[in-house]
Amino acid sequence: MSAKAPDTPPFLAPLAENLIALRATGNWSIAALAEQARVNPRMIRLMEQGQVNVSLNTVDKLARALGVTTGSLVGLRPVARQEGDAPIEELLAHKLVSARKALMLTQDTLGQRSGVSMYVIAHIERQARNPSLQTLAKLAASLDLSLEALLSK
């Protein structure tokens, strides 16, 4: 098993811990998980060490391979994926728009609060961008949400 780096960003720590725990529970090697998820094994190793900021697409591939929801893979406790769950891009777009509008924020205002370009926000809301977890963590914090809540039903 990989040891998590002491300077792991807070938004990456749950992902690292959950990957390690789920691999151990399912008796998955890094190579087997990499093959199943179609993710580079080195990337998984770095994720387990909390040393790499990954895209939402990569996290979704791993979550699917492990049979858990994408949001829960970056959260406190992995939850089994259900048949018919919406694609993560669609779920994220809906949650981002809903949370932004609930706070009566424009894309520009959210961009100023989060440090994420309003153009990036617009692309995420149109499902035309594969954001990194770091970008999503900034947006979630600016919306008073956890990363898990932003990526969950």
Side-chain angles (χ1 to χ4, degrees), residues 8-50:
T8 298
F11 68 91
L12 291 178
L15 174 62
E17 292 166 10
N18 287 333
L19 280 174
I20 292 167
L22 287 167
R23 272 198 328 100
T25 300
N27 202 25
W28 288 78
S29 67
I30 287 179
L33 178 57
E35 184 177 329
Q36 181 68 28
R38 299 184 184 274
V39 173
N40 185 306
R42 186 173 189 285
M43 177 70 72
I44 295 173
R45 198 169 300 105
L46 290 171
M47 289 169 67
E48 288 186 357
Q49 294 169 355

Side-chain angles (χ1 to χ4, degrees), residues 93-114:
H94 175 73
K95 287 291 290 241
L96 184 57
V97 170
S98 296
R100 182 174 58 76
K101 288 184 176 181
L103 294 173
M104 296 183 283
L105 300 173
T106 64
Q107 290 173 339
D108 187 42
T109 306
L110 177 58
Q112 291 171 14
R113 282 176 96 174
S114 65

